[in-house]
Amino acid sequence: MTHATPSSKTLRAIRGSFLDFTDDPFYVPESESVRYVADGLLVLEDGKVKDFGDYNTLQPKYTDLEITSYPGRLIVPGFIDTHIHFPQTEMIAAYGEQLLEWLSQYTFPTEGKFKDKDYAQKVASFFLDELLKNGTTTALVFAAVFPQSADAFFEEAYRRNLRMIAGKVMMDRNAPDFLMDTADSSYHDSKALIEKWHKKGRLLYAVTPRFAVTSTDAQLQMAGKLLQEFPDVYLHTHLSENVDEVELVAKLFPDSNGYLDVYDQAGLVGKRSVFAHGVQLTDAEFERLSETGAAIAFCPTSNLFLGSGLFKLTKAKSDQYPVHIGLGTDIGAGTSFSLLVTAHVAYKVVQLQRQRLSPFRAMFLATLGGARALYLDDILGNFEPGKEADFVVLDAQATPLMAFRNPRSVATSLEELADQVFSLIVMGDDRAVHATYIMGELAYTKEGDR
Ligand code: GUN
Ligand code: ZN
C-alpha cells in the first residue's frame, strides 16, 4: 500500500499504445516524424504531461504511480477541429443548395434563434458534449452575430476546462436585418468579448467577420483594428469556397486584386489567421498564405456536401509554398463531427485528384498539424512533456466489422500501425472513440465499453 505524503505525491499515468507526431510527415520522412510506443506510459501532473515513453523504461523511475491501463487501444493526442459553427449543429443535412442559397434559406434563419441566450447555452452544451464524444478537444468555433451567443459558448467551454477558440460573427450587409450588426457595434462588442474571455482559463478569442460578402470594407477595417489592438487574438473567416461567391466578392470589392487581397488590404492575413475552405484559391494566393504564415482549414465533408469542389491539398502542402493546414468539420455544411470521418473524406478528395493522403499524414492533420495551424503547438498537439494532456483513447475493434478487419489490436511495426490507422480513418467515427481526456481528467467514456 502506498501513502501520499507531501514529499512523495501519487502521480497518475496512462498505459497503452501511443501514436503522436514529432514533426510534419508531409516534409519529414514518416520514419522520423511518427512516434509509436507500442507499450507506453504517459505520466500526468497538474493536467500536463510530466513524462512520456516506453513503459518498461519509465515505470521504475516512479515509485508512486496510479496507472490506468488501456490494453489493445491506441491513444493519440486530442483531435483539433480548425473550423466549425456551433449554432449550425441543428441544421446538418439541409437539402439541395449550394453556398449562397444554403446560407439564405437555412443558415440565417437558424442563427437568428441564437439571440436567445438560454437557447444558445443549451446548444453550446450539446455541441461540446458532441465534440468530446468524437475525441475533439480543441476547436476554432463560429458563434452567431449576437454577443450573448459567444458568451454562452465560452461559459460552457470554461465549465469544461476546454482549450477553445471562438468569436462572435461580424456581418453588416447582405444578410437579414435581424442578423446584422454595424462596423462600430461589431468593433465594440468584439472588443468587450476579447476583454472578457481571451486567455480566461484555456479560452482564446477569434475576431470573426463571416466572409467578404457580408462585411463592408469599413467592418473589415474594424476587424483589422482589433487585431492591431490585441495582437495575439485570432482572425477566423471563410475564403474562396464557391465559384459564385468568388465572383460576388470581385463585384463587391472592385479595387481588390482577388479574394484574399480583400482581407489582406484590411490587415487580416498573418499568423493566427485561419481561412476556411480555400477551394478556389489561385497559385498567387497560396504563395501569399505561405509567406504570411496564415492557415487554411480544409473542410472536405462540407466542400462535397455544398458542391464547392476539391481542395488542392497536395499544392497547399508543397515544398515550394507550404501553407499551414488543419482539418475542419464545418458543421453544419459539414456532415460529421468526427475528425476520423473528416480525414476519411479528405483521403477521397485527394484520391479524386489522383494523389495520395497517407494514414499518418491524415492523422497528423487531425492532431499536431491542427495545433501548428493554430500556433498552439507549443502547448498541445503531441505528448511532449510540459504539454497540456488532452488525448483520445481509440478502439480499432469498435464494431464487429472493425474487429474482423483488425484481428490484432496492437500493431508491432510502423507498417502494421499505418494499416490500423487507415482502417480507423476509413471505418471509424464516434464509435471508435473509447474515451476522451481533458487536462489529464477523464471527460468522456463510451457507454457500454469495458
Ligand atoms: N461562408 C459564409 N458563411 C458560411 C457558413 O456559415 N458556412 C460555410 N460553409 N461557408 C460560409
Ligand atoms: Zn464555415
Side-chain angles (χ1 to χ4, degrees):
M1 195 153 130
T2 56
H3 295 276
T5 65
S7 57
S8 72
K9 86 173 165 184
T10 304
L11 287 172
R12 292 192 310 109
I14 307 286
R15 183 179 183 183
S17 302
F18 292 83
L19 163 66
D20 72 346
F21 298 88
T22 54
D23 213 329
D24 184 339
F26 285 87
Y27 303 110
V28 174
E30 291 185 343
S31 56
E32 292 164 38
S33 52
V34 176
R35 175 164 54 182
Y36 178 53
V37 188
D39 182 10
L41 194 67
L42 185 70
V43 183
L44 307 167
E45 186 175 50
D46 298 331
K48 297 196 173 153
V49 177
K50 181 178 173 63
D51 213 339
F52 173 57
D54 183 63
Y55 174 83
N56 287 320
T57 316
L58 270 196
Q59 195 273 336
K61 267 176 67 178
Y62 297 94
T63 46
D64 261 345
L65 268 186
E66 182 194 309
I67 298 179
T68 305
S69 287
Y70 288 106
R73 303 239 154 91
L74 183 67
I75 303 168
V76 300
F79 295 136
I80 298 177
D81 188 337
T82 59
H83 179 69
I84 186 164
H85 301 248
F86 99 79
Q88 295 178 19
T89 303
E90 67 198 71
M91 54 159 293
I92 299 175
Y95 175 75
E97 302 300 340
Q98 297 214 344
L99 176 63
L100 299 175
E101 298 73 27
W102 174 87
L103 282 172
S104 48
Q105 237 187 72
Y106 298 112
T107 315
F108 291 158
T110 303
E111 292 195 6
K113 297 189 195 172
F114 288 73
K115 187 170 185 175
D116 175 348
K117 167 112 189 264
D118 288 343
Y119 187 69
Q121 199 111 20
K122 270 191 208 118
V123 177
S125 178
F126 179 88
F127 170 92
L128 290 169
D129 289 347
E130 199 65 22
L131 289 188
L132 293 178
K133 182 180 176 189
N134 281 278
T136 300
T137 53
T138 286
L140 175 57
V141 183
F142 264 65
V145 72
F146 314 105
Q148 61 270 31
S149 71
D151 276 327
F153 178 80
F154 281 127
E155 283 167 21
E156 288 300 316
Y158 186 73
R159 200 198 308 283
R160 291 166 173 79
N161 198 23
L162 298 173
R163 176 67 72 188
M164 289 284 153
I165 315 167
K168 158 208 137 54
V169 171
M170 304 164 76
M171 50 197 308
D172 66 346
R173 65 167 159 177
N174 294 324
D177 287 347
F178 63 86
L179 269 192
M180 282 198 290
D181 54 15
T182 66
D184 272 348
S185 76
S186 69
Y187 169 82
H188 289 292
D189 288 345
S190 302
K191 185 170 173 153
L193 287 166
I194 293 168
E195 285 166 347
K196 188 165 173 191
W197 293 111
H198 185 59
K199 296 188 171 169
K200 184 176 165 80
R202 304 178 76 202
L203 304 174
L204 298 164
Y205 195 83
V207 173
T208 309
R210 177 168 220 116
F211 66 154
V213 172
T214 49
S215 285
T216 59
D217 188 49
Q219 186 168 58
L220 296 180
Q221 297 293 335
M222 285 301 188
K225 186 165 143 84
L226 287 165
L227 297 188
Q228 279 194 343
E229 290 173 5
F230 302 96
D232 58 1
V233 302
Y234 288 79
L235 183 282
H236 185 198
T237 189
H238 298 90
L239 170 68
S240 290
E241 177 175 1
N242 160 292
V243 173
D244 294 346
E245 171 209 13
V246 175
E247 268 178 29
L248 182 54
V249 169
K251 282 202 193 99
L252 291 169
F253 294 88
D255 298 333
S256 73
N257 182 25
Y259 197 158
L260 182 64
D261 189 53
V262 171
Y263 296 139
D264 221 350
Q265 285 189 23
L268 304 183
V269 183
K271 292 180 177 149
R272 283 181 298 280
S273 297
V274 182
F275 299 100
H277 306 289
V279 174
Q280 319 294 339
L281 288 173
T282 64
D283 286 2
E285 289 174 321
F286 273 118
E287 187 176 346
R288 179 69 185 144
L289 289 167
S290 177
E291 76 189 13
T292 54
I296 296 281
F298 173 22
C299 306
T301 72
S302 166
N303 295 342
L304 296 190
F305 181 75
L306 290 182
S308 303
L310 306 179
F311 177 66
K312 299 183 187 95
L313 180 67
T314 307
K315 183 176 290 258
K317 295 293 288 184
S318 71
D319 287 331
Q320 203 182 2
Y321 304 121
V323 178
H324 288 295
I325 304 292
L327 290 177
T329 60
D330 193 26
I331 294 298
T335 49
S336 170
F337 271 84
S338 169
L339 279 168
L340 293 172
V341 171
T342 305
H344 168 201
V345 179
Y347 173 83
K348 289 175 172 170
V349 164
V350 174
Q351 276 283 42
L352 282 164
Q353 299 170 80
R354 299 180 153 251
Q355 291 148 358
R356 276 187 194 169
L357 176 59
S358 80
F360 289 134
R361 286 178 172 188
M363 195 53 102
F364 167 81
L365 291 177
T367 56
L368 185 64
R372 286 189 171 183
L374 299 176
Y375 289 85
L376 289 176
D377 51 306
D378 56 333
I379 53 171
L380 47 78
N382 64 13
F383 296 122
E384 285 298 302
K387 289 201 179 177
E388 297 174 350
D390 292 349
F391 53 90
V392 194
V393 183
L394 296 175
D395 182 359
Q397 302 178 321
T399 68
L401 181 60
M402 289 176 79
F404 190 55
R405 163 67 170 76
N406 291 317
R408 192 202 287 265
S409 61
V410 177
T412 58
S413 66
L414 224 49
E415 290 69 34
E416 267 183 41
L417 179 66
D419 182 61
Q420 185 185 84
V421 168
F422 192 55
S423 77
L424 271 163
I425 288 170
V426 174
M427 304 171 79
D429 50 29
D430 57 306
R431 292 169 301 173
V433 174
H434 169 69
T436 304
Y437 279 77
I438 297 298
M439 293 295 274
E441 302 288 338
L442 184 65
Y444 165 79
T445 326
K446 196 174 127 200
E447 253 173 60
D449 269 10
R450 280 174 293 120

